[in-house]
């Protein structure tokens, strides 16, 4: 993997993880039920930060896919599940169950196998 490819991949990971965590923060801080919940979320900067992150990720994703084969790119992008899960644990206190840790381990092992192969 060249330095440019690595930077593109890292950019995808940062914006995707940041966007997912921002959306979770917006959803956690909403108020009320139904439409009141959605209106409360729309007024929070986390929602808009998440949207901007996804737009930036889209651009970075296109750049990344222009540098690697699709199958390799998609597999490398699955590592975002690891970063999102760890971010959820760190920021929101979400549980890391043995089954989730096994799943993350299998994802990481698969990506390593693809990277080495």
């Amino acid at each position: 993997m060249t330095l440019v490819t690595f930077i593109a991949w890292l950019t995808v990971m940062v914006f995707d993880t940041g966007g997912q965590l921002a959306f979770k923060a917006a959803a956690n801080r909403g108020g009320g039920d139904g439409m009141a919940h959605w209106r409360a979320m729309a007024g929070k900067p986390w929602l808009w930060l998440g949207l901007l992150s996804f737009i930036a990720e889209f651009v970075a994703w296109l750049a990344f896919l222009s540098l690697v084969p699709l199958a390799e790119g998609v597999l490398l992008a699955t590592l975002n599940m690891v970063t999102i899960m760890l971010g959820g644990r760190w920021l929101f206190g979400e549980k890391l169950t043995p089954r989730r840790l096994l799943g993350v381990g299998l994802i990481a092992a698969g990506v390593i196998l693809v990277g080495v192969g």
Side-chain angles (χ1 to χ4, degrees):
M1 181 180 294
T2 68
L3 180 60
V4 172
T5 305
F6 177 75
I7 291 170
W9 171 73
L10 190 60
T11 303
V12 169
M13 296 293 290
V14 167
F15 282 120
D16 187 36
T17 301
Q20 295 287 351
L21 294 174
F23 284 147
K24 176 66 174 176
N28 279 351
R29 289 164 175 58
D33 292 326
M35 287 305 294
H37 178 71
W38 288 95
R39 280 192 297 273
M41 281 194 306
K44 302 294 181 185
W46 292 114
L47 178 72
W48 303 105
L49 180 63
L51 287 171
L52 289 174
S53 292
F54 273 21
I55 291 168
E57 184 218 353
F58 173 74
V59 173
W61 179 245
L62 290 176
F64 179 61
L65 285 181
S66 72
L67 300 169
V68 298
L70 179 61
E72 185 179 326
V74 169
L75 285 170
L76 286 169
T78 60
L79 279 179
N80 69 352
M81 294 179 195
V82 176
T83 59
I84 292 165
M85 186 179 76
L86 293 174
R89 170 70 179 142
W90 179 56
L91 294 173
F92 306 113
E94 294 182 355
K95 294 183 180 186
L96 297 179
T97 64
R99 185 176 280 185
R100 286 182 183 175
L101 291 173
L102 175 63
V104 165
L106 291 172
I107 290 168
V111 170
I112 289 168
L113 288 172
V114 168
V116 173

